[in-house]
Amino acid sequence: MDNRLDPEAFEKIYKGHEFERIRSPKAKDASLLIPLVETENGETAVLFEIRSRNIRQGGEVCFPGGRVDKGEAPSDTAVREVTEELSIKKEQIKLICPMFTMNGVGDAFIYVYLGRLLDYTGSFSKSEVGSVFTLTISELLAMEPKVNSASYVIDLPEDFHFELIPGGRDYVWRNRPKNYYFYETPYGVIWGMTGELLYNFIENVRRVTECHPR
């Protein structure tokens, strides 16, 4: 097979090509929902889960979500996970919009949707969820999270090919700073990925409501 291609052949092959993500073949994408519910007095609130003590990261506060199955649209994943974790019907979930994308562990991509739960009565799957709670948008807007900044540390193996890079073992690696947000609530601390999502969501709400006052 002749792998030689002239410039016009390359142009023809790649014309119309779109961005591709460079990532680990083992990466598992995930999708989740920031669920909104209506309180008894008609106010909008965000629903949170506290993970069951019997599963990984038990006791943590989170939003409903999980891995995207092969061939599944991320929006369908978000809806499916909500039905499974909160024991409700698909018809009770109204997707409002795609909200965020973010990087997860091991090159995973996380899709975050905003949606409403209709006629939700507090149900959940006890195998995955320990309890649920809500905080109104007004309560969340008034909260001031504690913030820490940290950097990822690159842990290189002894057989890393230092001899092939300028400076060898003295090569200066770039730090990757990241903020961690901690919301202290009567139900537990919201932090980690959920804290990061909550912070960005509430700041987005703050900006939008300032631009579109009622």
Side-chain angles (χ1 to χ4, degrees):
M1 179 179 178
D2 188 355
N3 291 323
R4 293 174 295 179
L5 290 173
D6 60 60
E8 289 188 0
F10 259 101
E11 182 179 342
K12 184 177 181 181
I13 291 171
Y14 282 97
K15 186 175 179 64
H17 185 272
E18 297 185 356
F19 288 115
E20 294 183 23
R21 288 171 56 205
I22 299 176
R23 57 188 301 198
S24 166
K26 296 181 180 180
K28 301 291 184 182
D29 290 343
S31 185
L32 59 85
L33 184 80
I34 299 176
L36 304 179
V37 296
E38 186 177 351
T39 65
E40 292 182 356
N41 63 359
E43 191 172 356
T44 301
V46 178
L47 179 86
F48 298 89
E49 297 178 351
I50 297 180
R51 294 169 65 87
S52 167
R53 293 286 181 182
N54 299 320
I55 64 174
R56 186 174 61 86
Q57 295 180 317
E60 298 273 9
V61 178
C62 68
F63 293 122
R67 287 185 177 180
V68 178
D69 289 340
K70 187 176 181 180
E72 186 178 40
S75 58
D76 291 337
T77 302
V79 171
R80 174 177 57 77
E81 289 288 342
V82 173
T83 62
E84 293 173 359
E85 294 179 25
L86 296 181
S87 299
I88 62 176
K89 296 179 180 179
K90 180 179 178 181
E91 292 73 26
Q92 290 177 258
I93 304 164
K94 183 179 181 180
L95 288 182
I96 298 174
C97 64
M99 197 70 215
F100 303 113
T101 57
M102 65 188 302
N103 294 323
V105 177
D107 285 342
F109 206 56
I110 300 173
Y111 301 87
V112 183
Y113 293 86
L114 181 66
R116 289 180 60 191
L117 304 186
L118 308 176
D119 301 319
Y120 178 67
T121 58
S123 61
F124 56 86
S125 170
K126 293 183 179 180
S127 63
E128 297 185 71
V129 181
S131 61
V132 297
F133 67 91
T134 60
L135 293 169
T136 65
I137 294 295
S138 57
E139 288 175 320
L140 291 168
L141 285 168
M143 287 185 180
E144 191 70 32
K146 293 181 178 178
V147 185
N148 280 135
S149 182
S151 296
Y152 287 104
V153 176
I154 299 177
D155 186 15
L156 301 173
E158 280 301 315
D159 61 352
F160 188 80
H161 291 291
F162 292 103
E163 74 281 2
L164 299 179
I165 61 176
R169 290 181 178 273
D170 295 324
Y171 183 84
V172 179
W173 298 91
R174 180 177 296 179
N175 288 332
R176 296 175 58 191
K178 180 181 177 67
N179 284 340
Y180 291 85
Y181 302 92
F182 301 82
Y183 289 85
E184 297 178 276
T185 81
Y187 313 97
V189 177
I190 303 171
W191 77 290
M193 185 180 73
T194 307
E196 184 177 2
L197 285 174
L198 179 59
Y199 174 80
N200 283 279
F201 174 62
I202 291 302
E203 290 306 303
N204 185 281
V205 170
R206 200 187 309 277
R207 291 194 302 272
V208 170
T209 53
E210 287 175 355
C211 294
H212 301 86
R214 294 184 61 181

